[in-house]
């Protein structure tokens, strides 16, 4: 482990840790492959069905199934070695890619396969969170979480940008083979370079109230662990602070295509606007992560949340294209607020539920980000799209103000340091 709790770290300190380099490489390959596969699957589904609904489902099939995985399988993140879980997860993704590459599966089976493997994402995410928490400390941990987030955003941008061109060049089936190969490489890297961490609880322990969970199923352990996490002081509030504002940001992004169509922007202009938020995210995380000390980052959480939520209120007006691009880039910069919450979240999660805590955070994030666009998409059926986007901004600001006590931190009692086995 490396880094102190108050000493400002650098990204170089984070990359000096061998297990982080392995985790980073695997995540880069994994997210890039997931994104390429989603694009290829959407093209495949549309070519066979001409259904916009099924095509949209193919693009987002990896989101909502994660709710099931986090709710019922999350305890696996603390029951098995992270290396085993991460390696197996990538290997299963590789197998799904190979099956989809065969080109002979019905659309319904293809979607079911993509959904099934997505159920395991919270487990592997929780396991990766354990690796970070056990390998990094203090500010190196905060920057490690930041880099993990940045690599996901960057890989998604590259995957979306390159997906169409790759499919034109190779075709859907061969693109699926590329994703399978990348997942296989991620699995090999994880197997060879991640440390073999002992299982946190090899045989069951006592839960709150004295009842033992020896022999309990993974589902039982997950439900008990989730209950313990929700009951732990500060955990639920910090999950909400990390998830709800990001859901409004996702909703604002999901309305860009109909907004651009309404404004008669070109496909190139639309693509640039879709990328503007991600560019802002990259800039915000790098600048805030490098320029400010840990304590300053924590004080910046509230201002950055307001930076993320406020600008899109301007879309009630018919702004020029350049101004809209700037608005979305600025909202992306505000997402750096997450840096100021990483240390606090790690501290309030019971130590023997770290893996499941990260799994629950990932599950909640993916679920809410899947629901947010649906809710505001429904509003857009009755309101002008620009006003609906502005409504996401107003909702974000109101939510931020309602959660301001959790954002600023309080004098909550120390969290319990144990949970269900």
């Amino acid at each position: 482990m490396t880094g102190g709790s108050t000493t400002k770290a650098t990204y170089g300190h984070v990359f000096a840790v061998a297990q982080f380099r392995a985790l980073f490489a695997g995540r880069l390959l994994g997210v890039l492959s997931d994104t390429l596969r989603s694009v290829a699957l959407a093209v495949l589904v549309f070519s066979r069905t001409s259904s916009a609904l099924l095509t949209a489902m193919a693009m987002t099939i990896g989101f909502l199934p994660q709710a099931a995985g986090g709710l019922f399988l999350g305890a696996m993140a603390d029951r098995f070695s992270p290396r085993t879980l991460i390696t197996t997860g990538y290997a299963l993704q590789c197998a799904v890619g190979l099956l989809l590459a065969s080109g002979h599966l019905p659309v319904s089976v293809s979607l079911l396969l993509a959904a099934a493997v997505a159920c395991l994402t919270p487990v592997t995410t929780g396991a990766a969170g354990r690796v970070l928490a056990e390998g990094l400390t203090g500010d190196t941990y905060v920057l490690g979480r930041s880099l993990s987030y940045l690599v996901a955003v960057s890989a998604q941008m590259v995957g979306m940008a390159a997906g169409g061109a790759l499919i034109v060049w190779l075709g859907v089936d061969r693109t699926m083979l590329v994703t399978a190969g990348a997942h296989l490489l991620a699995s090999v890297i994880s197997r060879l370079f991640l440390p073999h961490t002992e299982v946190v609880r090899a045989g069951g322990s006592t839960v709150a109230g004295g009842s033992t969970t020896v022999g309990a199923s993974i589902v039982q352990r997950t439900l008990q662990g989730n209950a313990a996490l929700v009951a732990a002081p500060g955990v639920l509030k910090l999950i909400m602070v990390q998830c709800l504002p990001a859901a409004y940001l996702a909703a604002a992004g999901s309305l860009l295509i109909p907004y651009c169509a309404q404004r008669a922007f070109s496909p190139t202009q639309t693509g640039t606007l879709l990328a503007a938020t991600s560019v802002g995210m990259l800039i915000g995380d790098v600048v805030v992560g490098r320029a400010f000390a840990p304590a300053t980052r924590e004080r910046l959480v509230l201002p950055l949340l307001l930076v993320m939520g406020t600008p899109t209120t301007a879309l009630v007006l018919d702004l020029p294209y350049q101004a809209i691009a700037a608005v979305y880039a600025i909202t992306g910069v505000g997402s750096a607020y997450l840096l100021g919450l990483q240390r606090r979240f790690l501290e309030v999660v019971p130590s023997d539920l770290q893996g499941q805590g990260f799994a629950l955070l990932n599950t909640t994030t993916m679920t809410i980000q899947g629901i947010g666009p649906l809710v505001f998409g429904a509003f857009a059926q009755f309101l002008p799209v620009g006003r609906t986007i502005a409504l996401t901004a107003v909702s974000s600001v109101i939510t931020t103000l309602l959660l301001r006590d959790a954002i600023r931190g309080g004098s909550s009692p120390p969290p319990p340091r144990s949970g269900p086995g």
Side-chain angles (χ1 to χ4, degrees), residues 329-364:
I330 293 169
T331 62
V333 170
S335 70
Y337 83 92
L338 291 166
L339 287 171
L341 298 173
Q342 301 305 317
R343 179 192 62 81
R344 287 171 53 200
F345 184 71
L346 182 63
E347 288 181 351
V348 300
V349 172
S351 58
D352 61 344
L353 289 173
Q354 278 182 351
Q356 191 169 347
F358 291 117
L360 183 61
L361 174 61
N362 178 79
T363 298
T364 309

Side-chain angles (χ1 to χ4, degrees), residues 260 263 265-266 268-274 318-327:
C260 289
R263 295 290 306 274
F265 292 148
S266 70
T268 300
Q269 289 175 315
T270 301
T272 301
L273 289 181
L274 287 170
D318 285 339
L319 299 177
Y321 170 78
Q322 293 82 357
I324 298 169
V327 161

Side-chain angles (χ1 to χ4, degrees), residues 61-121:
I61 196 69
F63 282 179
L64 290 182
Q66 293 188 37
L71 289 174
F72 301 114
L73 301 176
M76 292 176 68
D78 290 307
R79 291 288 297 166
F80 299 96
S81 163
R83 184 179 70 176
T84 299
L85 291 173
I86 294 169
T87 300
T88 303
Y90 286 138
L92 289 173
Q93 296 274 15
C94 171
V96 168
L98 290 174
L99 288 171
L100 293 173
S102 69
H104 303 302
L105 298 176
V107 167
S108 58
V109 175
S110 298
L111 293 175
L112 283 172
L113 279 172
V117 78
C119 289
L120 296 176
T121 299

Side-chain angles (χ1 to χ4, degrees), residues 86-408:
I86 294 169
T87 300
T88 303
Y90 286 138
L92 289 173
Q93 296 274 15
C94 171
V96 168
L98 290 174
L99 288 171
L100 293 173
S102 69
H104 303 302
L105 298 176
V107 167
S108 58
V109 175
S110 298
L111 293 175
L112 283 172
L113 279 172
V117 78
C119 289
L120 296 176
T121 299
V123 177
T124 54
T125 301
R130 271 186 61 191
V131 173
L132 285 178
E134 292 166 3
L136 305 173
T137 59
D139 200 39
T140 53
Y141 168 78
V142 174
L143 292 188
R145 290 283 292 177
S146 168
L147 282 169
S148 189
Y149 174 70
L150 286 176
V151 72
V153 172
S154 301
Q156 285 175 345
M157 286 175 59
V158 173
M160 288 293 183
L166 197 63
I167 291 167
V168 170
W169 180 38
L170 296 177
V172 170
D173 295 347
R174 290 181 181 178
T175 301
M176 291 294 189
L177 282 177
V178 170
T179 70
H183 275 128
L184 178 61
L185 181 57
S187 181
V188 171
I189 290 172
S190 302
R191 177 66 181 82
L192 293 178
F193 298 107
L194 286 179
H196 180 70
T197 306
E198 292 297 324
V199 177
V200 174
R201 296 177 298 281
S205 61
T206 301
V207 301
S211 60
T212 181
T213 60
V214 177
S217 70
I218 288 296
V219 172
Q220 288 175 311
R221 291 178 186 277
T222 301
L223 293 174
Q224 292 165 345
N226 287 339
L229 286 166
V230 170
V235 171
L236 183 59
K237 287 184 178 180
L238 284 175
I239 287 178
M240 290 298 101
V241 172
Q242 293 178 80
C243 294
L244 286 175
Y248 296 124
L249 184 63
S254 72
L255 293 169
L256 264 177
I257 290 178
Y259 178 76
C260 289
Q262 186 181 82
R263 295 290 306 274
F265 292 148
S266 70
T268 300
Q269 289 175 315
T270 301
T272 301
L273 289 181
L274 287 170
T277 300
S278 297
V279 171
M281 289 177 178
L282 292 172
I283 294 171
D285 265 51
V286 171
V287 171
V288 174
R290 289 179 63 88
F292 298 103
T296 304
R297 290 189 217 121
E298 295 184 9
R299 290 195 296 270
L300 285 174
V301 171
L302 182 58
L304 285 171
L305 274 168
L306 294 175
V307 167
M308 189 173 79
T310 305
T312 46
T313 55
L315 267 70
V316 295
L317 306 173
D318 285 339
L319 299 177
Y321 170 78
Q322 293 82 357
I324 298 169
V327 161
Y328 271 90
I330 293 169
T331 62
V333 170
S335 70
Y337 83 92
L338 291 166
L339 287 171
L341 298 173
Q342 301 305 317
R343 179 192 62 81
R344 287 171 53 200
F345 184 71
L346 182 63
E347 288 181 351
V348 300
V349 172
S351 58
D352 61 344
L353 289 173
Q354 278 182 351
Q356 191 169 347
F358 291 117
L360 183 61
L361 174 61
N362 178 79
T363 298
T364 309
T365 300
M366 291 296 100
T367 302
I368 294 179
Q369 286 192 0
I371 293 172
L374 295 178
V375 172
F376 286 96
F379 280 115
Q381 299 297 313
F382 307 100
L383 296 173
V385 181
R387 291 184 183 179
T388 305
I389 294 174
L391 183 60
T392 69
V394 172
S395 301
S396 180
V397 171
I398 291 173
T399 300
T400 296
L401 296 177
L402 290 175
L403 291 171
R404 62 186 180 278
D405 289 340
I407 291 167
R408 291 169 176 161

